[in-house]
Amino acid sequence: MVKNDSTTNSSSIEERKYSLKNIWICSLVLKLLLMVGYHSTDFDVHRNWLAITKNLPISQWYIENTSQWTLDYPPFFAYFEWILSQFVPNIVKRDGCLDIVAKGQYGLPTIYFQRITVILSEIVLFLALQWIIDTSSSYAMKRRMYVAAASLALSPGLLIIDHIHFQYNGMMYGILFLSLNSARMKKYLLCGFWFAVLLCFKHIYLYLAPAVFVFLLRTYCLNLKWSKKKNTLINLVNLVKWKNSVKLGTVVIAVFAVAFLPFYNTLPQLFDRLFPFSRGLTHAYWAPNMWAIYSFVDRVLIQVYKRIPVTRFFLKRVFKFDSTLLQNDELLKTSTRGIVGDIEFFILPQITAKLTFLLTLFYQIMALIPLFLQPTYRRFIGAITLCGYASFLFGWHVHEKAILLVIFPMTLIVCRDVKLLPAYNLLVACGYTSLFPLIFTCNEWMIRVVYTSLWYIIFYFNFKKVTRIPKMKNTGVIVDRVVNGYILIFILVITITAIIDLLKNKYQVLKRFEFLNLMIYSVYSGVGVISSWNGYSWLYFVDDTIWNDSI
């Protein structure tokens, strides 16, 4: 049936409504209101990087160490800081913004300037998300991608990490989405270019690189169609699309050359800064992953050993630990803090960097096998998400903020099938809530709780409204109810931790447990993230209908 002109015009008008302009304006107002709020030490980190790149020659950027907040991001981010430093107004310079000192001394002018740079840099994210919406193939897909894009543009994670805590993740994820959408449009050279640019901005995205490499290798560089008319040697030669491989390799090498060649005299120092393997297994604040659960179990076993004598013989036989260490109370207190140095486990076996690398690699390879066999765009996003899961759950010295590596790619495909929603809902609820301890001042505490709760409620129903429901729906009602029940318990978690915060200065006993709130958030959120990973992995490996682009 052919549509008449009026119908076509009406449809076009409807489609043009899917713009993120109003969302950007609303988010801008909120971020401007937060400009004078709390910020972490990361603020002085980036202030110091502005000072280094502005005042010193490029040969000293990765050597300068007056402040403990040395430059430890890849070169493109250093160039980015240099560009920002060229626009620092005189009033901000006089405020101390560009002083190379051990600890920054600055006021509101510097705060306003750096806050504005984060807001402006996030335009990259909005443009990338709008491009995803505009290039969606149908009205239904535009509608779904609009909901997904809106949820990312208004992400509580970005609000907490970038606009309160202080970082530039919005711009980074904008570049990631430029790469991913290029892959969806089969612009493989552009996909490789943007991802190479991203790696030269922030090396944490190396965790996602295996999926990008396998996808581009399989779709752009290999020809696996076997011809019986040709002999084996010719088939093997034609296995590689040599022209495509050379073009892709040239693009990627060129990007890295532009980034790293200016630092050829200081490359050893640069790489030492990028990969500080001397740091311990866990960050100062346990990320909600396998090692948070592992650390918690070790603390529980310590208390069991000390308070229930009958268990001591059994624990010694099973774990073979040095029981004399448990008599040193000061050592036990230090260990429970999970400081940046090597964390010690007193009963459970020690975890090495090699073990975390092997576990991460194993689970990433498992995700890459289906991608190699079925290199569709949806399978690609699924594999990227699982690579993010693996690195977050099993990686060495994982920051809690790395949960966005999982949430953001998964959001692009969650509307694909209603069966993905339980895993996604559990992931965002646990992932975003686990960021709450990053901000501990009263005003921002209310903002993070209220804003995240409203975000979750709004997009919970919007995702349900637009998500595709397959003809043979077999999503269990019980699973949905268990997930929703688990998420509702966060109300209790938030209430308990808030009461502890209010009372810890009044009761001396609570001061002995200053890291109790962090442990509660990390362990409860960790169980949820691991459960989300299990549910998502099951769908990835078992249900092929979700990952087929043609359906």
Side-chain angles (χ1 to χ4, degrees), residues 59 75 83 141 193 250 298 366 389 402 410 434 464 481 538:
S59 59
I83 292 172
M141 279 305 301
F193 168 78
T250 301
D298 189 65
M366 293 296 291
Y389 265 121
M410 188 175 176
S434 71
K464 272 189 169 293
R481 289 180 177 176
W538 173 263

Side-chain angles (χ1 to χ4, degrees), residues 287-294 386 389 392-394 403 423 426-427 430-431 486 522-538:
N289 60 8
M290 287 289 186
W291 309 130
I293 306 299
Y294 193 87
L386 280 181
Y389 265 121
F392 183 80
L393 291 175
F394 301 101
I403 193 62
L426 191 56
L427 173 67
C430 295
Y486 190 89
S522 295
V523 172
Y524 194 79
S525 298
V527 172
V529 173
I530 292 168
S531 301
S532 169
W533 171 62
N534 286 328
Y536 184 83
S537 297
W538 173 263

Side-chain angles (χ1 to χ4, degrees), residues 342-357:
D342 291 334
I343 184 171
E344 292 289 336
F345 297 108
F346 292 95
I347 292 183
L348 295 180
Q350 300 302 318
I351 302 297
T352 64
K354 181 179 179 180
L355 177 61
T356 64
F357 173 78

Side-chain angles (χ1 to χ4, degrees), residues 168-238:
Y168 291 87
N169 290 285
M171 182 177 69
M172 302 295 103
Y173 283 101
I175 299 172
L176 175 64
F177 289 140
L178 290 174
S179 176
L180 298 183
N181 200 47
S182 297
R184 184 180 67 83
M185 299 178 67
K186 299 184 179 180
K187 297 182 178 181
Y188 301 119
L189 281 179
L190 201 57
C191 173
F193 168 78
W194 283 119
F195 195 77
V197 169
L198 180 63
L199 291 179
C200 292
F201 265 101
K202 197 168 183 179
H203 52 305
I204 193 174
Y205 296 96
L206 279 170
Y207 288 133
L208 308 183
V212 177
F213 173 79
V214 170
F215 177 75
L216 292 177
L217 176 71
R218 181 66 174 81
T219 56
Y220 191 66
C221 298
L222 293 183
N223 180 18
L224 297 185
K225 294 181 180 180
W226 191 270
S227 175
K228 294 182 179 179
K229 295 181 181 180
K230 299 179 180 179
N231 60 45
T232 303
L233 180 60
I234 294 176
N235 276 318
L236 290 175
V237 171
N238 292 335

Side-chain angles (χ1 to χ4, degrees), residues 220-395:
Y220 191 66
C221 298
L222 293 183
N223 180 18
L224 297 185
K225 294 181 180 180
W226 191 270
S227 175
K228 294 182 179 179
K229 295 181 181 180
K230 299 179 180 179
N231 60 45
T232 303
L233 180 60
I234 294 176
N235 276 318
L236 290 175
V237 171
N238 292 335
L239 179 66
V240 178
K241 297 177 181 177
W242 297 103
K243 185 178 179 180
N244 288 355
S245 300
V246 170
K247 287 193 293 185
L248 182 60
T250 301
V251 167
V252 173
I253 291 172
V255 171
F256 278 90
V258 170
F260 286 92
L261 278 183
F263 301 94
Y264 67 95
N265 287 327
T266 56
L267 281 178
Q269 294 89 339
L270 190 157
F271 285 111
D272 283 343
R273 294 272 183 92
L274 295 185
F275 304 103
F277 291 112
S278 59
R279 292 181 178 179
L281 172 66
T282 60
H283 188 238
Y285 159 27
W286 294 349
N289 60 8
M290 287 289 186
W291 309 130
I293 306 299
Y294 193 87
S295 301
F296 174 71
V297 171
D298 189 65
R299 307 305 157 214
V300 171
L301 291 178
I302 290 172
Q303 298 305 317
V304 169
Y305 179 89
K306 293 176 69 174
R307 301 177 188 279
I308 309 177
V310 72
T311 64
R312 293 176 181 176
F313 176 78
F314 174 76
L315 290 174
K316 283 183 179 180
R317 290 294 298 272
V318 172
F319 298 109
K320 296 181 174 57
F321 57 92
D322 185 359
S323 59
T324 59
L325 294 175
L326 299 179
Q327 300 171 9
N328 188 334
D329 290 337
E330 290 301 316
L331 186 60
L332 289 175
K333 289 178 182 179
T334 302
S335 175
T336 56
R337 298 182 184 215
I339 56 177
V340 171
D342 291 334
I343 184 171
E344 292 289 336
F345 297 108
F346 292 95
I347 292 183
L348 295 180
Q350 300 302 318
I351 302 297
T352 64
K354 181 179 179 180
L355 177 61
T356 64
F357 173 78
L358 291 175
L359 284 171
T360 302
L361 183 63
F362 171 77
Y363 284 108
Q364 288 193 340
I365 290 175
M366 293 296 291
L368 298 178
I369 293 172
L371 175 62
F372 188 84
L373 298 175
Q374 184 192 21
T376 63
Y377 169 73
R378 291 194 182 103
R379 182 69 77 176
F380 171 47
I381 301 299
I384 279 213
T385 302
L386 280 181
C387 283
Y389 265 121
S391 61
F392 183 80
L393 291 175
F394 301 101

